[in-house]
């Protein structure tokens, strides 16, 4: 038996809806096929953007999409992706395939407007110039008379778009230029000073650390922290990436054929996100005690081996209940750190790494991770409240993991939104909940559950789907229910 305590009267930080954000790079079939099929495609679309995908993304209330990369961003010349005649280029980051640039600035902002979500572009500072970045911002956001706005109008867009976030580079410690943090900080200051805020103020995001690189965080905060709104963090869950070790790419394993020990190892790596955020937060607190600079986890998710028979450079992987548990645990962690973490972007939205959607021709399948985003969408912009679980931890091999993990928030309509993950592969838990600080009368419950390797395919798209339990009456502010093994629950209290 486990106990859950929710203190409805202890309100903490607001959970920024952008924690539920996504990342879409020009990589494999993430953009082309996944989002954009072109307006002449037989696949139903709006100005080239797949209608089925749009509908599915709207349903989970996608709040922000980061684009165009990733490593690709540092090769990207935005002027190649506008106008009638688009330049072809080699996508040297991802398989050396030819990128025809048919999805560019106009198509990206069209997508954001169709989804009513915020925009987040990554600027090329590795091989680009401050002038290019400055002109891109002008092209997107300026409303007056200038060469860039004339060009935009000539290309069919009269009014500027809203640019919410700009990333100044991507992984500049790696594929974005192999820089040292001192050099990057100076480069950041240079590029940042040529970004003008013509319309709404644009939030500037600096390239942050690779996983646990605390020296990067410290140096960049010290040298440029006063000129940024956010610092990014990238961390991928892969069985070979153990805590402070460097990536061990060769130990990546199958997305669908794995045993329990690999399952728990993966969860252990995912759970490290909590420690990682805590460490970087401590450093940031030294330089920014007022929390003006957000920690933005703009690449996270599982990284498995690509599916057999697919181009390994396209990073196309299946998605099981294990991925759902990783997503649920990670999103709970972000909620609990929402005093500093205000945006996160799952890598990557469609057909790449831990996607929420997979497509094949005109077919589309929703992954278990998609359903987690559906169960969690009630947290968007809600206020985190204190909650904790009393239960024995799981001890498996060298890993110690919580059996259950929770986060709770109060929404504007005063409903309480709880999300609970049962990490155990095979042990259900009887959970006794004590709700304090306010009275509740009803609980509405939805969940996903399955065996650790269960997943959805184009032939069987509903193996993992959201199930709805019968609503329960709450007596004396206490609630008892069984949380099934390998599951994610959403409990809405009213
Ligand atoms: O998401 C795939 C790649 O992972 C991104 O391009 C890069 O930023 C990271 O290393």
């Amino acid at each position: 038996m486990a106990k859950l305590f929710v203190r409805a009267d202890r309100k903490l930080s607001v959970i920024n809806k952008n924690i539920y954000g996504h990342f879409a790079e020009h990589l494999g079939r993430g953009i082309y096929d996944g989002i954009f099929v072109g307006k002449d495609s037989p696949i139903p679309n709006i100005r080239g953007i797949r209608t089925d995908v749009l509908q599915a993304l709207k349903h989970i209330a996608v709040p922000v999409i980061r684009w165009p990369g990733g490593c690709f961003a540092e090769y990207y010349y935005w002027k190649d992706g506008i106008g009638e005649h688009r330049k072809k280029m080699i996508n040297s980051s991802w398989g050396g395939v030819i990128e025809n640039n048919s999805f560019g600035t106009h198509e990206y902002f069209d997508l954001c407007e169709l989804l009513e979500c915020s925009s987040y572009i990554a600027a090329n500072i590795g091989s680009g110039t401050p002038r290019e970045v400055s002109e891109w911002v002008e092209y997107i956001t300026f409303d007056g008379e200038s060469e860039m706005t004339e060009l935009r109008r000539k290309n069919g867009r009269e009014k500027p778009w809203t640019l919410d976030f700009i990333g100044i580079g991507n992984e500049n410690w790696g594929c974005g230029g192999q820089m040292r943090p001192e050099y990057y900080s100076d480069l950041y200051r240079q590029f940042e000073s040529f970004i003008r805020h013509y319309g709404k103020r644009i939030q500037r995001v600096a390239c942050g650390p690779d996983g646990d690189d605390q020296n990067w965080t410290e140096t960049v905060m010290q040298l440029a922290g006063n000129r940024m709104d956010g610092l990014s963090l990238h961390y991928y869950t892969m069985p070979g990436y153990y805590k402070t070790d460097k990536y061990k790419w060769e130990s990546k394993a199958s997305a669908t054929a794995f045993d329990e020990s690999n399952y728990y190892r993966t969860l252990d790596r995912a759970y490290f996100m909590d420690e990682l955020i805590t460490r970087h937060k401590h450093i940031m607190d030294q330089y920014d005690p007022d929390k003006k600079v957000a920690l933005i986890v703009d690449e996270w998710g599982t990284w498995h081996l690509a599916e057999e028979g697919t181009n390994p450079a396209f990073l196309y992987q299946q998605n099981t209940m294990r991925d759902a548990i990783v997503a649920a645990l990670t999103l709970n962690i972000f909620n609990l750190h929402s005093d500093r973490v205000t945006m996160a972007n799952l890598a990557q939205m469609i057909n790449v790494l831990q996607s929420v959607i997979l497509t094949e021709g005109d077919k589309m399948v929703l992954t278990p991770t998609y359903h987690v985003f559906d169960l969690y969408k009630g947290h968007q912009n809600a206020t985190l409240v204190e909650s904790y679980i009393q239960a024995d931890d799981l001890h498996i091999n060298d890993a110690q993991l919580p059996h259950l993990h929770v986060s709770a928030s109060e929404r504007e309509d005063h409903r309480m939104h709880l999300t609970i993950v049962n990490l155990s592969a095979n042990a259900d838990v009887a959970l006794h909940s004590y709700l304090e600080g306010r009275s509740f009368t009803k609980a509405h419950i939805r969940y996903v559950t399955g065996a650790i390797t269960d997943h959805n395919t184009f032939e069987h798209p509903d193996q993992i789907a959201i199930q709805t339990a019968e609503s329960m009456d709450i007596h004396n502010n206490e609630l008892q229910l069984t949380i099934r093994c390998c599951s994610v629950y959403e409990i809405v209290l009213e």
Side-chain angles (χ1 to χ4, degrees):
M1 152 91 87
K3 290 177 182 173
L4 163 68
F5 299 89
V6 179
R7 291 296 312 248
D9 52 342
R10 295 206 183 145
K11 299 201 169 53
L12 306 164
S13 41
V14 169
I15 299 174
N16 193 310
K17 64 176 180 177
N18 290 333
I19 283 179
Y20 293 87
H22 291 263
F23 170 39
E25 178 171 12
H26 287 244
L27 193 178
R29 298 189 304 109
I31 300 285
Y32 304 110
D33 288 1
I35 297 170
F36 193 73
V37 285
K39 55 182 184 327
D40 299 329
S41 167
I43 299 173
N45 67 81
I46 302 176
R47 296 182 290 280
I49 299 173
R50 291 179 75 124
T51 322
D52 53 354
V53 163
L54 271 177
Q55 238 171 23
L57 294 177
K58 272 191 187 161
H59 181 71
I60 54 169
V62 166
V64 60
I65 300 173
R66 175 175 181 250
W67 172 86
C71 296
F72 178 81
E74 297 285 9
Y75 281 92
Y76 185 64
Y77 293 96
W78 68 271
K79 282 188 185 161
D80 296 350
I82 54 169
E84 229 167 89
H85 302 288
R86 312 265 172 118
K87 269 197 204 157
K88 291 197 172 74
M89 66 179 278
I90 305 168
N91 188 336
S92 346
S93 303
W94 304 110
V97 294
I98 297 304
E99 160 68 54
N100 67 15
N101 274 309
S102 54
F103 188 92
T105 301
H106 289 250
E107 292 74 22
Y108 167 70
F109 280 96
D110 197 15
L111 171 68
C112 293
E113 288 187 339
L114 287 166
L115 290 174
E116 295 175 34
C117 77
S118 295
S119 52
Y120 179 13
I121 58 168
N124 175 351
I125 73 162
S127 65
T129 63
R131 178 171 177 182
E132 279 158 5
V133 177
S134 172
E135 287 188 343
W136 198 13
V137 170
E138 184 183 322
Y139 186 89
I140 295 168
T141 61
F142 188 49
D143 202 10
E145 294 301 318
S146 78
E147 200 190 319
M148 288 305 113
T149 52
E150 233 171 72
L151 188 58
R152 188 187 69 224
R153 288 181 185 126
K154 195 175 122 228
N155 290 333
R157 175 76 184 197
E158 178 60 34
K159 284 279 152 210
W161 295 281
T162 304
L163 176 58
D164 299 287
F165 301 90
I166 185 162
I168 317 253
N170 171 75
E171 297 198 352
N172 301 94
W173 35 259
C175 66
Q178 302 292 340
M179 299 173 196
R180 294 173 310 115
E182 293 81 6
Y183 179 73
Y184 172 75
S185 301
D186 282 343
L187 207 60
Y188 173 88
R189 294 168 70 96
Q190 182 190 354
F191 273 78
E192 186 277 328
S193 59
F194 292 101
I195 291 170
R196 300 275 175 272
H197 304 268
Y198 298 110
K200 187 182 165 198
R201 204 173 159 281
I202 306 161
Q203 305 283 303
R204 305 141 307 165
V205 181
C207 167
D210 172 16
D212 196 36
D213 185 349
Q214 298 173 44
N215 177 50
W216 183 281
T217 301
E218 167 120 48
T219 310
V220 174
M221 282 304 290
Q222 190 180 29
L223 299 179
N226 61 341
R227 301 186 69 89
M228 65 182 70
D229 303 290
L231 180 74
S232 78
L233 165 67
H234 289 185
Y235 176 68
Y236 284 96
T237 295
M238 53 181 93
Y241 187 12
Y242 188 65
K243 307 230 163 158
T244 55
D245 291 357
K246 277 282 152 208
Y247 289 110
K248 288 196 179 121
W249 298 95
E250 68 279 4
S251 67
K252 288 199 299 285
S254 163
T256 49
F258 55 89
D259 58 14
E260 271 191 24
S261 114
N262 184 292
Y263 167 79
Y264 287 115
R265 213 167 55 226
T266 310
L267 299 193
D268 187 43
R269 306 303 182 264
Y271 191 48
F272 181 55
M273 180 67 89
D274 188 35
E275 202 174 320
L276 199 54
I277 292 176
T278 306
R279 291 180 189 176
H280 290 298
K281 265 170 79 170
H282 280 147
I283 300 170
M284 293 176 83
D285 286 348
Q286 301 304 310
Y287 294 94
D288 173 40
D290 298 332
K291 296 190 167 57
K292 289 189 186 136
V293 181
L295 185 60
I296 290 181
V297 191
D298 57 16
E299 288 189 27
W300 69 273
T302 51
W303 196 316
H304 306 303
L305 283 179
E307 287 302 296
E308 248 174 65
T310 67
N311 185 335
F314 284 10
L315 311 184
Y316 175 79
Q317 67 190 39
Q318 248 300 351
N319 195 296
T320 63
M321 268 311 292
R322 172 178 63 168
D323 297 274
I325 301 292
V326 168
L329 179 64
T330 308
L331 291 168
N332 271 350
I333 291 170
F334 292 156
N335 288 346
L336 297 171
H337 286 288
S338 52
D339 60 330
R340 185 65 89 170
V341 176
T342 62
M343 173 158 50
N345 308 75
L346 176 72
Q348 300 193 3
M349 195 160 72
I350 302 171
N351 290 337
V352 177
L353 300 175
Q354 190 175 350
S355 315
V356 288
I357 294 173
L358 302 176
T359 67
E360 203 176 82
D362 63 353
K363 288 183 276 185
M364 175 186 88
V365 72
L366 307 176
T367 66
T369 299
Y370 175 93
H371 296 307
V372 172
F373 275 77
D374 190 353
L375 296 177
Y376 276 57
K377 66 188 176 194
H379 284 303
Q380 291 193 20
N381 286 343
T383 303
L384 184 72
V385 301
E386 200 173 284
S387 63
Y388 71 96
I389 281 182
Q390 242 176 45
D392 291 336
D393 280 345
L394 300 170
H395 292 266
I396 291 123
N397 302 329
D398 57 350
Q400 180 177 349
L401 286 162
H403 194 148
L404 297 181
H405 195 269
V406 65
S407 72
S409 67
E410 188 181 88
R411 304 186 330 203
E412 250 186 17
D413 61 7
H414 297 295
R415 287 174 159 212
M416 188 66 66
H417 190 77
L418 310 181
T419 45
I420 302 175
V421 197
N422 184 343
L423 281 75
S424 168
N426 40 40
D428 296 353
V429 179
L431 182 68
H432 194 131
S433 305
Y434 300 87
L435 313 169
E436 295 165 29
R438 229 186 85 188
S439 61
F440 295 97
T441 52
K442 271 244 176 285
H444 307 282
I445 299 160
R446 300 192 303 155
Y447 62 96
V448 284
T449 187
I452 56 177
T453 55
D454 281 357
H455 57 278
N456 293 333
T457 61
F458 294 100
E459 295 70 40
H460 303 285
D462 295 320
Q463 168 104 359
I464 299 296
I466 293 185
Q467 306 185 43
T468 307
E470 229 175 85
S471 296
M472 294 171 79
D473 289 328
I474 299 176
H475 301 290
N476 302 325
N477 258 17
E478 289 182 22
L479 181 70
Q480 297 193 42
L481 76 156
T482 299
I483 304 291
R484 294 167 65 166
C485 59
C486 192
S487 69
V488 183
Y489 279 68
E490 173 206 52
I491 303 176
V492 179
L493 304 173
E494 59 177 36

